[in-house]
Amino acid sequence: MTEPVRIEDIPGPRGLPVVGNIFDIDSASPFESLMGMAREYGPIFRLSTPAGARLIVSGAELVEEICDDSRFDKLVGGGLANLREGGAGSGLFTADTTDPLWRRAHNILLSPFSLQSMQDYMPMMLDLAEQLMAKWERLNPDEEVDVPADMTRLTLDTIALCGFGYRFNSFYRDTLHPFVSAMVRTLSESQRRARQLPIQTRLRIRAQRQIEEDQAFMNDLVDQLIAERRAQGAEGETRDLLGRMLGGVDRETGEGLPDENIRAQCITFLIAGHETTSGLLSFALYSLLKDPEVMQRARAEVDEVLGATALPSFEQVHRLRYVTQILNEALRLWPTAPGFNRRPLRDTVIGERYAIPKGTPLTVLSPMLHRDRSVWGPDAEEFNPDHVASEALATLSPNVFKPFGTGQRACIGRQFALQEAVLVLGMLLQRFEFVDHENYQLKIKTTLTMKPDDFRIQVRRRAERPIDHPDAAPARGDGQVAAAATEAPAVLAVERHGTPLFVLYGSNLGTAEGIATKLAREGTERGFAVTVGALDDHLGGLPTDGATILVCASYNGMPPENAARFCAWLRDPATATDACASTMCVT
Ligand code: HEM
């Protein structure tokens, strides 16, 4: 084997003494600078910073290894570390994986992001989507829309309403709500600090004072919301994020979250949950505008699935598959959170040739990972939603498409963001023609996230597609529809033959358990002798008689609590031989 390449020998731009490569990165569009360097230096390159070396990785084979949670962990550094110190506190986004409160919060917060919760949020998502539609419907033909600004109003108000029943009413204001101004200043200061020397940060005394004022203001507002909920007692119990955090208990430790941590989570959700989704919707609209064929295909799907429905149902939204592909393709080319940071837990070698010392900061540069031609083909740089069709993705490693980060530290709000974005893009396509009156040329603006800068369009009502009046088509986003859609078909009672049927589940949030229960009921109706239970309760040997069905969820590859021991057992070749002979898995 050849000698591994040492970190000092990994190629990269030559930096200046002390400041390293700080001035090689355009502060207005840092990710575009990094993308340019990746094109020049390849799948891995080294940057020097005042804090030491940092590696930027975008080759699919290398990223595959870096996504392994047993060898690498999230690194909370740069802008995120500043955000933790300067306003957001230790929320899920900014906490270290080793912080016991991160795991507790992660366990408690899985429930408000479950499938059932997504159904509960539908009416609130529709409320805000309708506000956007109403605004655009009332514009005169020559008036223009600032797309990212309106998408930010929409996504911010949606997360605040679904998160803690608070209305920023952004569509009814000309200026930002003071909380939002404080949050935006905090975000941009955190980013700025990541790009300057510590001495510069210390010298900017007024900025420090401002960040403290902003932090106090945000804390006060959220503390007030928490206090109001607590004062309402059982009456104030709600199924939004705040309600579930106040009442939630970690099944692993039996403990809830302290109020200070709940406050940090609320601020985190606002920060993590709005700009990313707003940028996504803006990039998707930009891509549609420039691609009439894709626009036509999307409209055909929307017309078929939504028809004249004023308020789409949960089930309809989840049938908009091509619209979902458009959003995923937008995330492939312009992942709005354009990178994530990792560090090796031990000294290690990646790609069989790069020796990386323990703790070295590594940034996965997702826009370039998503343009790796060895994965996406010669047209990797082109917008084509077929790149991310489910059949195409099924042939690829899950680690080549990483807009939502990775493993246990991946985005907890992924389904929330996608449901909201599909709903809104679907409703826009159903109602409007979009006019590229300025022949917009893409210019990217980067804060903590990226979005198209100064992107304006005009919109016209689609005269040929009238929409039902909302009162005539009540929203059916209350779980009723999904329940109806997933209800098992009625089975005719048959004679009991008594063949053993084991239905075993791994489930944190109840969805997989619900499916298992339904299958068990159907099995009984079909005459089987059914046993239903958690996978961990059936460790050490699957029955060889009859049939066994496993229904198991996974959180980005991690097994649920009641299947962890079972998965370890299954992975162990010494114990798992022939275990699956009569087993069908539904994941
Ligand atoms: C298109 C929209 C979104 C994108 C592209 C996105 C992207 C990401 C990425 C890349 C990470 C990993 C960051 C890292 O490793 O440092 C992340 C984490 C996170 N996201 Fe999102 N996100 C989106 C929407 C949302 C929404 C809507 C919410 C909340 C409702 C949310 C909440 C979070 C949280 C709490 C984390 C931290 C999870 C943890 O480490 O435990 N995100 N997101």
Side-chain angles (χ1 to χ4, degrees):
M1 194 175 128
T2 51
E3 196 64 12
V5 180
R6 293 172 319 151
I7 188 164
E8 306 82 76
D9 300 328
I10 293 176
R14 272 172 73 96
L16 297 170
V18 185
V19 294
N21 296 111
I22 280 190
F23 298 116
D24 293 326
I25 296 172
D26 179 354
S27 60
S29 49
F31 282 95
E32 283 174 298
S33 298
L34 293 178
M35 287 169 73
M37 290 177 192
R39 290 182 206 283
E40 188 176 344
Y41 296 104
I44 180 166
F45 66 91
R46 184 178 42 79
L47 287 181
S48 321
T49 78
R54 169 175 292 272
L55 299 174
I56 314 292
V57 187
S58 52
E61 280 177 19
L62 299 176
V63 173
E64 184 73 37
E65 290 189 56
I66 293 170
C67 287
D68 180 350
D69 275 348
S70 68
R71 293 172 60 198
F72 295 84
D73 186 19
K74 168 164 172 161
L75 173 73
V76 180
L80 278 194
N82 293 332
L83 195 58
R84 176 167 67 192
E85 309 316 324
S90 273
L92 276 183
F93 199 44
T94 46
D96 290 316
T97 314
T98 46
D99 180 344
L101 270 179
W102 173 76
R103 182 153 303 280
R104 204 193 301 173
H106 171 82
N107 290 344
I108 291 175
L109 283 161
L110 283 176
S111 149
F113 289 101
S114 66
L115 189 69
Q116 179 57 52
S117 302
M118 292 308 126
Q119 293 175 22
D120 294 343
Y121 298 141
M122 258 318 268
M124 293 178 263
M125 288 185 176
L126 272 166
D127 180 322
L128 272 309
E130 275 195 287
Q131 290 185 30
L132 174 72
M133 303 303 141
K135 176 176 176 184
W136 286 20
E137 273 161 11
R138 284 162 182 70
L139 292 170
N140 295 307
D142 57 342
E143 283 179 298
E144 42 176 36
V145 173
D146 179 337
V147 178
D150 270 353
M151 293 307 165
T152 302
R153 288 186 176 94
L154 169 101
T155 53
L156 182 75
D157 283 28
T158 302
I159 181 68
L161 189 62
C162 298
F164 24 89
Y166 190 79
R167 286 189 185 269
F168 283 122
N169 283 328
S170 304
F171 283 108
Y172 304 102
R173 296 170 174 275
D174 285 335
T175 53
L176 295 177
H177 186 289
F179 184 98
V180 182
S181 311
M183 190 174 77
V184 170
R185 275 193 300 267
T186 303
L187 278 175
S188 66
E189 180 60 20
S190 307
Q191 282 305 97
R192 184 183 180 137
R193 287 182 178 190
R195 291 194 298 267
Q196 66 193 16
L197 296 170
I199 179 77
Q200 291 175 288
T201 303
R202 282 200 292 278
L203 288 175
R204 294 179 61 247
I205 294 167
R206 200 179 305 157
Q208 178 58 27
R209 210 172 295 143
Q210 181 69 57
I211 211 165
E212 283 165 16
E213 271 174 35
D214 287 337
Q215 183 173 7
F217 182 84
M218 291 193 287
N219 287 351
D220 282 352
L221 190 137
V222 177
D223 284 348
Q224 216 174 308
L225 290 174
I226 296 175
E228 278 166 17
R229 282 287 174 90
R230 289 240 187 259
Q232 287 166 349
E235 266 174 46
E237 267 176 34
T238 55
R239 302 165 93 180
D240 60 13
L241 273 162
L242 179 56
R244 290 176 199 245
M245 277 193 283
L246 288 171
V249 173
D250 173 16
R251 277 195 276 176
E252 246 173 65
T253 60
E255 291 173 302
L257 291 175
D259 278 5
E260 199 184 289
N261 187 266
I262 294 181
R263 177 220 278 163
Q265 304 300 352
C266 289
I267 297 176
T268 299
F269 285 129
L270 284 172
I271 291 174
H274 86 284
E275 282 237 352
T276 40
T277 318
S278 144
L280 163 61
L281 277 160
S282 307
F283 278 120
L285 261 183
Y286 159 78
S287 312
L288 280 174
L289 211 55
K290 299 293 180 187
D291 195 329
E293 241 174 71
V294 174
M295 174 88 87
Q296 204 180 6
R297 214 171 133 188
R299 239 190 251 295
E301 180 184 77
V302 165
D303 290 349
E304 191 198 321
V305 175
L306 301 188
T309 316
L311 302 174
S313 69
F314 178 84
E315 184 265 340
Q316 281 173 314
V317 169
H318 288 264
R319 272 172 50 213
L320 291 174
R321 302 226 165 80
Y322 192 63
V323 173
T324 309
Q325 262 174 251
I326 289 169
L327 290 158
N328 275 327
E329 177 68 349
L331 280 174
R332 185 182 70 83
L333 287 176
W334 301 285
T336 50
F340 52 94
N341 296 328
R342 308 277 285 170
R343 64 184 172 90
L345 297 167
R346 301 171 280 283
D347 289 354
T348 191
V349 174
I350 58 172
E352 293 180 0
R353 58 186 292 229
Y354 301 107
I356 316 288
K358 173 182 172 178
T360 305
L362 297 151
T363 298
V364 173
L365 186 61
S366 21
M368 290 309 287
L369 167 70
H370 295 170
R371 286 167 159 82
D372 187 327
R373 282 171 204 271
S374 69
V375 175
W376 303 100
D379 67 342
E381 303 264 350
E382 307 293 317
F383 178 83
N384 173 4
D386 291 339
H387 280 133
V388 290
S390 43
E391 315 80 63
L393 286 183
T395 63
L396 302 174
S397 156
N399 294 326
V400 298
F401 182 57
K402 292 267 119 182
F404 292 99
T406 195
Q408 57 182 345
R409 299 307 302 267
C411 181
I412 204 168
R414 178 180 190 151
Q415 298 309 334
F416 184 102
L418 285 175
Q419 178 169 304
E420 179 186 5
V422 174
L423 168 72
V424 170
L425 190 55
M427 286 174 79
L428 288 173
L429 283 162
Q430 183 194 27
R431 286 162 167 81
F432 300 104
E433 300 283 353
F434 311 109
V435 184
D436 186 9
H437 66 301
E438 290 184 334
N439 188 19
Y440 176 72
Q441 300 302 306
L442 184 61
K443 199 166 92 203
I444 289 174
K445 182 175 176 180
T446 314
T447 49
L448 194 61
T449 65
M450 23 183 220
K451 58 171 104 158
D453 193 20
D454 209 14
F455 173 35
R456 292 162 196 280
I457 59 170
Q458 290 179 342
V459 294
R460 310 262 187 278
R461 278 299 293 263
R462 284 179 70 195
E464 85 291 2
R465 304 287 312 183
I467 304 290
D468 289 338
H469 190 275
D471 294 341
R476 300 200 301 161
D478 48 10
Q480 240 178 319
V481 174
T486 52
E487 203 65 56
V491 175
L492 290 179
V494 293
E495 214 168 293
R496 196 179 148 71
H497 48 82
T499 312
L501 172 66
F502 279 73
V503 188
L504 307 180
Y505 57 82
S507 179
N508 272 341
L509 305 172
T511 307
E513 187 177 343
I515 296 172
T517 311
K518 219 170 277 170
L519 288 169
R521 195 180 60 220
E522 226 186 288
T524 309
E525 285 165 358
R526 289 180 189 269
F528 287 86
V530 177
T531 305
V532 59
L535 281 163
D536 276 359
D537 296 340
H538 290 266
L539 206 61
L542 292 171
T544 47
D545 224 14
T548 305
I549 303 176
L550 308 188
V551 188
C552 189
S554 92
Y555 187 79
N556 296 295
M558 312 292 291
E561 281 162 26
N562 53 7
R565 286 183 301 124
F566 183 90
C567 284
W569 171 77
L570 201 59
R571 277 197 194 108
D572 182 349
T575 54
T577 5
D578 296 335
C580 292
S582 60
T583 305
M584 180 173 103
C585 299
V586 186
T587 52

